[in-house]
Amino acid sequence: QDIAKIIQHESSGNPNAINLWDSNAQKGTPSIGLMQTIQPTFDAFKLPGHDNIRNPVDNIIAGVRYSIERYGSVSNVPGIKGLNSGSGYVGY
């Protein structure tokens, strides 16, 4: 359920979503896909054979692996913690 919440808040469920306005985009690495990963993060956390950042499965794999590495679990992503505490979603 936490993965679905991240996807809803990050991309509204659109696997082709691309953020062209945030700080990542300004640096030349826009957030892309369901979980809004930037290409370097996607490349670091994707699995072999899952190389398409816009493919829903590939994007979720990389996003979840990144979340676990950075926050310990998907449940610890700031946006999920914010939703669970009532303070609202915060992008990661």
Side-chain angles (χ1 to χ4, degrees):
Q1 182 166 344
D2 290 339
I3 295 169
K5 288 178 185 177
I6 292 170
I7 290 169
Q8 186 58 41
H9 283 87
E10 292 291 336
S11 67
S12 299
N14 178 359
N16 294 309
I18 183 166
N19 182 328
L20 297 174
W21 57 266
D22 70 0
S23 60
N24 289 319
Q26 292 171 4
K27 295 174 189 170
T29 55
S31 302
I32 298 171
L34 289 179
M35 294 190 73
Q36 290 291 282
T37 59
I38 60 174
Q39 192 69 53
T41 300
F42 178 81
D43 290 342
F45 290 95
K46 67 183 181 179
L47 290 176
H50 295 276
D51 301 318
N52 183 349
I53 196 169
R54 287 182 174 85
N55 178 289
V57 172
D58 298 0
N59 194 275
I60 291 169
I61 289 169
V64 167
R65 294 182 78 221
Y66 165 77
S67 297
I68 292 168
E69 175 71 23
R70 177 146 188 206
Y71 303 107
S73 77
V74 174
S75 299
N76 287 333
V77 168
I80 298 302
K81 290 178 83 173
L83 288 173
N84 290 338
S85 70
S87 63
Y89 188 82
V90 178
Y92 69 115

